[in-house]
């Protein structure tokens, strides 16, 4: 469940004071229009001399591309875009291949020579080959061999539906008669046969035809020596999309819009094929050889009881990712994920031996996920080759936290490179393979620090270690870094420095407005409190000056997404809420912002503690947070409210329904009320599917607890929400009506999607939430 940032305009003023400074609700709900638009996505030029980034400075209509070079920031002219910008790159020793606006360039990092290789608006991807001056380019999903001296572009492989050769049908009497009587008919027949043979001969010598009879190919890779091809084919099932309606339209007519299917939709059929170019041999990978491929999930025991079977008759449905050839082109590395997301395999195929090697198998009765592993079946994890064509690196949660591992094919041995109760959030291998460039929360769970990690010993060398978050882009020559950095009360800015320890740092941007800087924003403390099961739960704590307020009151904020971190040391994606919490503090509220069970950044157990029970520990953590406010901070038990959006809205509703009387009121924004109506990728990970695990859906969905409502509940929802759809709250409200509940109110926003886009709506929403707290607390 995603949250979005957005902006714009308002019309009412509610001003309060923090540390003697005014905070205007209307102004802070303008978001970045009030704060200042922060720069985004820094990346480097091919020569490692210029940093590019997107930014909306004062006076810009929208985000534009800016450049930083020689200490100066300037806006990049559109006509310079195609000559300067890199849309990703591939490196081979001193040579760099990069694309920019349909142009493919080669750049020599030693000589500084740049050469335009080809220009095509069909350019999708590009690859080095073993032979200098020859490259493979993907032009609109067809692969060509590009030769620079002399220039040529020859199709190498085509994916399509090619009919099989049919046997010659028996000719009729008249056809035989014509051929027997007329020389011209015999000549035409020989001419046609000659041309056909010529076409087929040219086809066989010029490019390879890959027959995709059903479905389509998802991705493909070609070995550097052009000997092998690997590709993934998918056959998608028919699915039923949901709909949502737009009522505020230009013609006054209601408009229907398609959206995603609901959880429980069928999975695609995916196939991995390995093709030998010389012999035109095409081998389809058989997943039944994988360890545990037939293992059935244990939750089925709840339904099958004594009839439960540990294995199914056939293999699970799987999808393939990260097709990567070794540097010597003799082996293929790939990742396999089961569509139930309980298994992940890393496999190598040896082309000469025609043998598969299972490098790693990770099984999780909950679901596979974590940094560098990825909790979505349709997205691959972080895996890759070393240049020696023997070692492979990957990330795994085997230790309970996401860490780096290295596997040696020659030794058939895995080595855990990094260890500890922290997570590797990003890892990229250096060009010389001596180290990894790593983002980790090693020193504090609420940080993202930047390190060099030795690829042999696993030794960490700190490069950027200050409290906060560092989003790092390493230059192509790996001598410099550009990074976005933020702190709890300081929004994102871009900085740059040499890629070594204790180097001099230069600030590139300054984005905040004078209005934002005029307020001394709080630096919330990151604390821990004890949950009922003894677990220490992290949270952000906003507190007023104790001597200033005699009557204490508190609000608990519940972040969205579930798997997201908000009790951290950097600028929150919930920046409107951060400013709103400062406003609440000025009114005498204490605010507790909890990283409840399921949040990101704390390892596998924390991530999966809500498996088959959303509304379990994630909700009890809010109740234990309430206990902390009462027992440790002296907040009266009848002066505590709760609010949140998306997953946070779901938790808010469940807290009121499962623990009536604990919270005096709650505000639920864009909330899931019945998980059987949410999307498939997110929900099936945690609750399986409604057809196979109805127990999990019933105990996890607020609509089944509607009869417990007794405390004031404010429901707020956008009617154009194509993520958590408006139908969710409509169904819950109908249940409340039928149950004769009268302690709820509802505010609808006719032109808003999941993340609000209009300032008037943001202001109306938080004005109502503030009124709710002021009325009931």
């Amino acid at each position: 469940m995603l949250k979005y940032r957005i902006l714009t305009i308002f019309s009412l003023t509610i001003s309060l004071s923090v540390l003697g400074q005014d905070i205007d609700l209307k102004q802070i709900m303008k978001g970045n229009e009030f704060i200042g638009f922060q720069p985004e996505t820094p990346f480097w030029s091919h020569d490692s001399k210029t940093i590019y980034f997107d930014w909306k400075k004062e006076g810009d209509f929208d985000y534009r591309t800016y450049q930083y070079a020689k200490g100066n920031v300037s806006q990049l002219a559109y006509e310079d875009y195609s000559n300067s910008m890199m849309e990703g790159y591939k490196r081979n020793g001193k040579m760099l291949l990069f694309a920019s606006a349909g142009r493919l360039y080669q750049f020599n990092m030693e000589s500084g020579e740049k050469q335009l290789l080809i220009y095509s608006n069909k350019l999708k991807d590009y690859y080095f080959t073993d032979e200098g001056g020859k490259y493979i380019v993907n032009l609109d999903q067809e692969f060509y061999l590009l030769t620079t001296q002399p220039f040529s572009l020859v199709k190498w492989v085509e994916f399509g539906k090619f009919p099989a050769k049919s046997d010659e049908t028996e000719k009729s009497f008249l056809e035989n008669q014509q051929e027997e009587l007329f020389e011209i008919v015999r000549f035409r027949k020989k001419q046609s046969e000659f041309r056909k043979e010529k076409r087929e001969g040219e086809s066989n010598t010029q490019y390879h035809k890959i027959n995709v009879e059903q479905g389509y190919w998802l991705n493909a890779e070609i070995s550097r020596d052009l000997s092998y091809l690997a590709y993934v084919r998918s056959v998608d099932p028919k699915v039923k999309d949901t709909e949502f309606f737009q009522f505020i339209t230009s013609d006054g007519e209601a408009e229907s819009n398609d959206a995603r299917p609901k959880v429980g939709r069928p999975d695609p059929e995916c196939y991995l094929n390995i093709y030998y170019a010389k012999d035109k041999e095409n081998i389809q990978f058989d997943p039944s050889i994988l360890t545990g491929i037939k293992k059935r999930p244990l939750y089925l025991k709840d339904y099958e009881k004594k009839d439960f079977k540990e294995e199914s008759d056939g293999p699970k449905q799987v999808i393939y990712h990260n097709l990567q050839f070794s540097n010597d082109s003799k082996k293929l590395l790939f990742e396999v994920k089961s569509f139930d997301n309980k298994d992940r395999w890393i496999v190598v195929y040896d082309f000469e031996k025609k043998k598969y090697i299972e490098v790693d198998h990770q099984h999780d009765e909950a679901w596979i996920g974590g940094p560098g592993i990825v909790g979505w079946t349709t997205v691959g994890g972080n895996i890759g080759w070393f240049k020696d064509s023997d070692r492979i690196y990957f990330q795994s949660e085997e230790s309970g936290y996401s860490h780096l591992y290295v596997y040696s094919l020659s030794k058939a041995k895995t080595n855990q490179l990094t260890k500890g109760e922290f997570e590797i959030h990003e890892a990229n291998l250096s060009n010389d393979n001596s180290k990894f460039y790593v983002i980790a929360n090693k020193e504090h769970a609420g940080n993202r620090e930047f390190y060099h990690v030795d690829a042999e010993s696993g030794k960490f060398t700190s490069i950027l270690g200050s409290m906060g978050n560092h989003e790092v882009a390493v230059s192509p020559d790996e001598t410099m870094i550009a990074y976005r950095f933020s702190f709890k009360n300081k929004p994102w800015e871009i900085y740059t420095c040499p890629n070594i320890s204790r180097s001099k740092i230069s600030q590139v941007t300054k984005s905040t407005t004078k209005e934002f800087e005029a307020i001394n924003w709080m630096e919330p403390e990151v604390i821990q409190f004890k949950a009922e099961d003894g677990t220490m739960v992290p949270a952000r704590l906003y507190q007023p000056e104790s001597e200033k307020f005699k009557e204490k009151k508190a609000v608990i904020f519940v972040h969205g997404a579930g798997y997201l971190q908000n009790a951290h040391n950097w600028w929150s994606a919930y920046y409107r809420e951060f400013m709103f919490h400062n406003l609440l503090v000025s009114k005498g509220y204490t605010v507790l912002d909890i990283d409840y069970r399921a949040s990101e950044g704390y390892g596998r157990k924390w991530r999966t503690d809500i498996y088959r029970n959303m509304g379990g520990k994630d909700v009890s953590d809010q109740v234990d947070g309430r206990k902390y406010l009462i027992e440790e901070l002296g907040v009266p038990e009848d002066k505590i409210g709760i609010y949140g959006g998306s997953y946070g809205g779901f938790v808010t509703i469940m807290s009121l329904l499962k623990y009536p009387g604990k919270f005096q009121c709650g505000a639920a924004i864009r909330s899931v009320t019945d998980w059987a109506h949410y999307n498939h990728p997110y929900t099936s990970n945690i609750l399986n599917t409604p057809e196979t695990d109805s127990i999990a859906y019933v105990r996890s969905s607020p609509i089944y607890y509607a009869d417990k409502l007794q405390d004031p509940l404010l429901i707020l929802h956008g009617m154009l929400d194509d993520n958590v759809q408006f139908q969710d709250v409509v169904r819950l409200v109908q249940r409340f009506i039928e149950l004769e509940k009268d302690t709820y109110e509802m505010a609808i926003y006719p032109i808003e999607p999941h993340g609000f886009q209009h300032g008037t709506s943001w202001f109306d929403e938080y004005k109502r939430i503030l009124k709710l707290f002021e009325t009931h607390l």
Side-chain angles (χ1 to χ4, degrees), residues 110 463 744:
E110 287 186 0
I463 306 300
Y744 70 92

Side-chain angles (χ1 to χ4, degrees), residues 594-770:
I594 302 172
D595 269 352
Y596 49 87
R597 247 67 73 89
S599 296
E600 182 184 8
Y602 307 99
R604 181 211 164 266
K605 186 178 186 306
W606 200 273
R607 176 178 66 80
T608 60
D609 254 349
I610 58 167
Y611 177 57
R612 299 189 70 211
N613 192 8
M614 297 159 98
K617 290 182 179 179
D618 47 357
V619 168
S620 66
D621 283 346
Q622 315 303 320
V623 177
D624 291 330
R626 172 185 178 272
K627 183 179 179 182
Y628 166 80
L629 290 168
I630 295 167
E631 296 182 357
E632 300 297 326
L633 301 184
V635 178
E637 63 180 21
D638 60 348
K639 295 287 185 180
I640 302 173
I642 186 171
Y643 89 106
S646 197
Y647 196 95
F650 153 74
V651 169
T652 296
I653 295 174
M654 282 293 261
S655 296
L656 266 60
L657 299 182
K658 291 186 72 175
Y659 297 91
K662 295 290 187 183
F663 298 97
Q664 276 49 64
C665 59
I669 310 165
R670 50 187 178 274
S671 313
V672 175
T673 68
D674 185 346
W675 287 107
H677 289 258
Y678 194 52
N679 72 35
H680 183 83
Y682 183 95
T683 320
S684 63
N685 271 352
I686 307 171
L687 301 180
N688 304 306
T689 67
E691 290 78 12
T692 62
D693 200 0
S694 58
I695 293 171
Y697 279 81
V698 170
R699 72 176 164 217
S700 299
S701 297
I703 200 164
Y704 289 100
Y705 300 84
D707 61 318
K708 307 297 184 185
L709 181 67
Q710 68 180 43
D711 304 302
L713 170 62
L714 173 61
I715 300 170
L716 310 105
H717 213 106
M719 296 181 74
L720 299 189
D721 195 332
D722 61 349
N723 182 10
V724 181
Q725 294 169 3
F726 186 58
Q727 182 189 21
D728 253 70
V729 291
V730 170
R731 294 176 72 248
L732 180 63
V733 166
Q734 181 59 29
R735 278 291 287 152
F736 286 155
I737 292 170
E738 294 177 2
L739 291 166
E740 299 181 1
K741 298 295 180 179
D742 58 6
T743 60
Y744 70 92
E745 292 183 354
M746 184 170 178
I748 63 172
Y749 297 88
I751 62 171
E752 296 297 353
H754 192 62
F756 283 14
Q757 296 181 351
H758 300 86
T760 47
S761 301
W762 277 108
F763 183 52
D764 184 272
E765 183 178 51
Y766 276 81
K767 180 178 64 174
R768 293 174 187 274
I769 294 171
L770 180 60

Side-chain angles (χ1 to χ4, degrees), residues 55 80 116 166 174 176-177 189 191 201 207 235 243 262 264 282 301 305 307 357 506 515 532 617 635 697 733 767 771:
W55 198 15
D80 294 332
L116 175 64
S166 57
L174 292 178
N176 285 323
Q177 183 192 51
K189 179 184 177 184
Q191 186 180 54
Y207 69 94
V235 180
E243 292 180 294
K262 294 183 180 182
N282 200 332
K301 282 185 176 181
K305 307 298 183 184
D307 295 329
I357 303 161
S506 299
E515 291 77 12
E532 62 181 353
K617 290 182 179 179
V635 178
Y697 279 81
V733 166
K767 180 178 64 174
K771 182 180 178 181

